């Protein structure tokens, strides 16, 4: 038997309760019953994100919400600073160019992190917006969201800070209100354990205020219109009713598990376990930046195309992991920890990886289990064992 399992950093493993809720949804969207679900889901989302800001749900993939944020934040000719060290940073650059921004790109090699020092002298009093990723999913690296946001605000109190947190939410700490983030964007197929197709974002009072002066033409992604409709439990056009029902179920599940903080702690632990396993197996992680909690990017052993590892994982175990993107293809593979993954999933994945490497002649048979063991040690360190757990005299661990 071979079960197919997704370990990709989007789409990720699906929560059965969310799948069931989606399949059961048959309501018309302009009914009191659906409005109640829509409003309840929005409240759960606000609680999940931990913000007082308005939150909106959009029927699009995550990139749609990136576009929505940008077209509502900037007008053509506005100076915009974009930080890019990977494929998704490049998406912000492309969007900013598409809408005529005066783009000030700050680039770093793939695999590096951005922090406050990187925007010194780049963000000025004239900069209208700063856009970056919380987690760069193409390289498995996180950026210093708090440091960047605070430094940008010091340089320009009116700047709009746009954070693509599509894989950052639920995998690393992001404090929307305390860090004064204007647009924070998420997507359904990442930490909230659902199928693709729904995006969500939070919008600050400063961002709403700045929209009055905005000249960019927009229709579907006009957030002022959405805000009015969504306050009434509706969206301007037809909402993705099934996905909204799924989001409600997923957010209820997450709340019962301990909320966003518990989800973040889980992802961070699985990421630490995976990094420890990679090291024990003599594999190097990709990049030199701060590793993400959402996913781990691991370099393929020298001379072995990472595509071979991806293929063998699927062929032998039905596990779908991600290859590198663009110029990183063949060099690295990526394993997800965001959303509906637990320690058992991660131990299993590492055991599979060991077998794939052994078959490729890249791991001596005698070393099988060393990666799993390293991951188990991380689990033991993180486990909240009561301090006074009784141990009998002479009993060994
Ligand atoms: C997945 C992802 C996106 C793109 O989302 P789509 O849903 O494919 O549009 C953007 N940014 C990051 C960081 C992502 O991980």
């Amino acid at each position: 038997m071979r079960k197919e399992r997704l370990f990709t950093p989007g789409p990720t493993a699906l929560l059965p309760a969310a799948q069931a809720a989606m399949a059961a949804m048959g309501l018309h969207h302009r009914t009191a019953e659906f409005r109640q679900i829509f409003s309840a889901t929005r409240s759960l989302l606000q609680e999940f994100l931990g913000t007082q800001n308005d939150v909106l749900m959009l029927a699009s993939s995550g990139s749609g919400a990136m576009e929505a944020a940008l077209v509502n934040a900037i007008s053509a000719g506005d100076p915009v600073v974009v930080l890019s060290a990977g494929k998704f940073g490049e998406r912000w650059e492309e969007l900013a160019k598409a809408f005529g921004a005066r783009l000030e790109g700050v680039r770093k090699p793939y695999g590096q992190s951005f922090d406050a020092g990187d925007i010194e002298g780049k963000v000025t009093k004239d900069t209208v917006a700063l856009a970056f990723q919380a987690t760069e999913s193409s390289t498995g690296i996180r950026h210093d969201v708090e440091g960047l946001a605070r430094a940008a605000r010091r340089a320009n109190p009116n700047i709009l800070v746009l954070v693509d947190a599509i894989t950052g939410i639920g995998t690393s700490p992001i404090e929307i209100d305390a860090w004064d983030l204007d647009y924070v964007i998420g997507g359904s197929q990442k930490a909230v354990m659902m199928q693709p197709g729904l995006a969500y974002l939070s919008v600050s009072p400063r961002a709403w205020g700045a929209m009055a002066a905005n000249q960019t033409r927009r229709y579907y992604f006009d957030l002022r219109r959405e805000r009015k409709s969504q306050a009434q439990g509706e969206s301007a056009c037809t909402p993705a009713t099934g996905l909204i029902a799924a989001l409600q179920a997923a957010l209820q599940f997450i709340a019962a598990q301990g909320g966003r903080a518990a989800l973040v702690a889980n992802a961070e632990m699985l990421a630490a376990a995976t990094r420890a396993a990679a090291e024990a197996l003599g594999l190097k992680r990709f990049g030199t930046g701060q590793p993400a909690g959402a996913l781990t990017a691991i370099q393929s052993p020298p001379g072995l195309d990472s595509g071979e590892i991806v293929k063998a994982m699927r062929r032998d175990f039905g596990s779908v992991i991600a290859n590198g993107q663009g110029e990183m293809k063949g060099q690295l593979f990526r394993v997800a920890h965001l959303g509906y993954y637990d320690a058992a999933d991660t131990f299993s994945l590492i055991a599979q990886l060991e077998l794939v490497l052994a078959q490729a002649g890249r791991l001596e048979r005698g070393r099988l289990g060393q990666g799993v063991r390293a991951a188990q040690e991380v689990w033991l360190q993180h486990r909240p064992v009561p301090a006074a757990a009784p141990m009998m005299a002479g009993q060994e661990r």
Side-chain angles (χ1 to χ4, degrees), residues 121-373:
K122 305 280 183 187
V123 169
T124 68
K125 293 251 174 307
D126 300 326
T127 310
V128 172
L130 168 69
F132 58 91
Q133 273 60 43
T135 292
E136 175 53 74
S137 320
S138 67
T139 62
I141 294 301
R142 78 180 79 195
H143 301 313
D144 177 7
V145 179
E146 180 180 12
L148 288 164
R150 290 195 193 282
R153 190 71 60 212
R154 274 196 301 276
N156 177 353
N158 300 320
I159 197 169
L160 297 175
V161 176
L162 279 59
V163 183
D164 165 3
I166 294 174
T167 49
I169 287 174
T171 66
S172 58
I174 295 179
E175 298 304 329
I176 295 175
D177 296 356
W179 302 352
D180 203 2
L181 309 173
D182 297 294
Y183 289 91
V184 175
I185 298 152
S188 58
Q189 80 277 32
K190 309 282 170 124
V192 292
M193 322 172 177
M194 307 157 44
Q195 291 188 349
L198 195 72
Y200 53 88
L201 73 169
S202 67
V203 185
S204 73
R206 180 186 299 104
W208 291 119
M211 273 179 225
N214 185 297
Q215 304 288 316
T216 305
R217 290 185 194 177
R218 54 207 192 273
Y219 183 79
Y220 188 74
F221 287 139
D222 188 335
L223 295 181
R224 294 163 301 181
R225 190 174 61 134
E226 274 308 318
R227 183 193 204 187
K228 272 192 211 131
S229 299
Q230 299 204 7
Q232 308 301 317
E234 299 197 358
S235 52
C237 304
T238 311
T241 53
L243 289 167
I244 286 166
L247 182 60
Q248 181 181 34
L251 293 175
Q252 284 166 342
F253 172 82
I254 291 167
Q257 297 274 316
R260 184 169 50 107
L263 197 62
V264 169
N266 181 65
E268 297 274 28
M269 189 267 285
L270 300 180
T274 304
R275 291 194 299 270
E279 200 183 321
L281 297 172
L283 298 172
K284 290 200 181 69
R285 117 184 136 75
F286 180 79
T288 53
Q290 289 298 319
L295 74 152
T296 301
I298 299 171
Q299 294 182 39
S300 203
L304 179 63
D305 189 305
S306 60
E308 296 301 319
I309 298 176
V310 173
K311 240 189 269 167
M313 291 290 285
R314 177 115 194 253
R315 181 194 63 217
D316 293 343
F317 301 106
S319 289
V320 184
I321 60 172
N323 201 335
Q325 287 166 286
E327 51 195 87
M328 293 168 284
K329 196 168 176 185
Q331 297 176 35
L332 61 98
F333 59 92
R334 296 173 297 142
V335 178
H337 321 298
L338 71 173
Y340 194 50
Y341 294 106
D342 65 7
D345 293 325
T346 303
F347 298 154
S348 162
L349 186 90
I350 294 164
Q352 297 165 40
L353 178 62
E354 290 179 351
L355 288 165
V356 163
L357 291 172
Q359 288 185 98
R362 297 311 180 112
L363 188 73
E364 292 158 39
R365 293 280 279 273
R367 292 184 66 187
L368 282 174
Q370 288 186 359
V372 174
R373 188 198 159 96

Side-chain angles (χ1 to χ4, degrees), residues 29 31-47 55 57 227-235 239 244-245 247-248 251-252:
H29 55 288
T31 58
E33 291 87 341
F34 186 75
R35 281 189 207 102
Q36 196 278 328
I37 291 172
F38 192 100
S39 297
T41 307
R42 249 183 109 219
S43 300
L44 283 164
L45 186 57
Q46 202 177 24
E47 187 186 315
V55 300
M57 299 178 281
R227 183 193 204 187
K228 272 192 211 131
S229 299
Q230 299 204 7
Q232 308 301 317
E234 299 197 358
S235 52
I244 286 166
L247 182 60
Q248 181 181 34
L251 293 175
Q252 284 166 342

Side-chain angles (χ1 to χ4, degrees), residues 89-147:
E90 289 163 19
R91 186 158 304 174
W92 271 137
E93 292 176 346
E94 287 160 12
L95 278 163
K97 279 188 208 153
F99 291 98
R102 191 138 61 74
L103 175 65
E104 163 102 53
V106 183
R107 282 199 168 196
K108 280 190 164 185
Y110 288 177
Q112 293 191 13
S113 295
F114 285 105
D115 58 30
D118 297 312
I119 59 170
E120 229 172 89
K122 305 280 183 187
V123 169
T124 68
K125 293 251 174 307
D126 300 326
T127 310
V128 172
L130 168 69
F132 58 91
Q133 273 60 43
T135 292
E136 175 53 74
S137 320
S138 67
T139 62
I141 294 301
R142 78 180 79 195
H143 301 313
D144 177 7
V145 179
E146 180 180 12

